[in-house]
């Protein structure tokens, strides 16, 4: 996202845009890639609500949240594009509020990767995660990425 300081992320968080909904897809490549034809769309506020459930010292991933929504709503999978956007909206909305914080830094990308699109980038997320006892590793020389070491052991079950 760009121009975050000019956007009202809390307003975005509360737009439902016709969600939740399940959409049937017919593209065979997508059906094969995602394992089914029933694609679930959760509204942005639903992502925020799940992210708020992650306790101190524990983690989740965008993928785990997507799996949870699909399972809970009788779908084969949850739309990956809106999931990434809505997780970022929840993070920025929390940052803009300043109170009633959503612990967005505990939601990682695939493979335990830190999210550079969160407020303050990976540096801020890294500091918060390390303050909770996680070890963050740097990978790469040119395209540097950051990951939480052994993040799987800290995953919080979304049941």
């Amino acid at each position: 996202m760009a121009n975050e300081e000019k956007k009202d992320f809390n307003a975005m968080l509360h737009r439902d845009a016709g969600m939740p909904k399940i959409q049937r897809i017919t593209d065979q490549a997508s059906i094969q890639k995602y394992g089914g034809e029933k694609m679930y769309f959760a509204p942005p506020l639903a992502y925020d609500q799940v992210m708020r459930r992650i306790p101190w010292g524990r983690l989740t991933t965008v993928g785990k949240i997507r799996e949870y929504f699909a399972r809970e709503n009788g779908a084969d999978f949850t739309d990956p594009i809106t999931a990434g956007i809505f997780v970022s909206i929840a993070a920025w909305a929390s940052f803009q509020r300043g109170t009633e914080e959503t612990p967005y830094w505990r939601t990682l990308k695939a493979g335990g990767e830190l999210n550079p699109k969160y407020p303050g980038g990976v540096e801020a997320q890294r500091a918060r995660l390390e303050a909770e006892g996680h070890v963050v590793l740097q990978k790469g020389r040119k395209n540097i990425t950051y990951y939480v070491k052994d993040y799987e052991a800290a995953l919080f079950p979304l049941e």
Side-chain angles (χ1 to χ4, degrees):
M1 286 186 219
N3 299 316
E4 283 82 358
E5 64 281 347
K6 296 179 181 178
K7 296 177 181 175
D8 183 349
F9 287 97
N10 284 287
M12 290 180 188
L13 189 65
H14 290 86
R15 285 189 202 128
D16 67 15
M19 297 177 211
K21 69 179 179 180
I22 291 179
Q23 180 177 323
R24 290 208 177 266
I25 60 169
T26 57
D27 175 58
Q28 288 303 313
S30 294
I31 290 170
Q32 189 169 7
K33 179 178 181 179
Y34 295 115
E37 59 186 42
K38 292 191 314 188
M39 178 169 55
Y40 181 71
F41 291 85
L45 192 57
Y47 285 90
D48 185 75
Q49 290 167 342
V50 170
M51 292 165 72
R52 284 176 180 262
R53 293 176 36 204
I54 310 305
W56 190 95
R58 301 299 296 270
L59 304 167
T60 193
T61 65
V62 176
K64 291 291 182 190
I65 295 172
R66 289 181 52 230
E67 289 171 8
Y68 169 75
F69 283 144
R71 184 174 60 250
E72 291 294 307
N73 293 283
D76 298 316
F77 65 101
T78 302
D79 178 54
I81 303 299
T82 58
I85 293 167
F86 293 168
V87 163
S88 288
I89 287 172
W92 280 96
S94 176
F95 181 76
Q96 286 180 343
R97 278 192 309 271
T99 60
E100 296 182 44
E101 191 169 53
T102 298
Y104 57 86
W105 57 92
R106 297 178 188 148
T107 300
L108 307 172
K109 293 172 64 174
E113 185 179 349
L114 275 59
N115 193 333
K117 295 182 180 179
Y118 284 165
V122 293
E123 297 82 12
Q125 186 180 17
R126 179 180 188 166
R128 286 183 175 239
L129 290 169
E130 288 177 343
E132 293 188 16
H134 300 288
V135 175
V136 177
L137 304 174
Q138 176 180 324
K139 293 185 182 179
R141 292 186 184 189
K142 256 189 172 177
N143 298 324
I144 298 171
T145 53
Y146 296 89
Y147 297 83
V148 174
K149 180 181 180 185
D150 301 325
Y151 76 96
E152 298 96 338
L155 289 175
F156 182 75
L158 298 174
E159 304 296 327

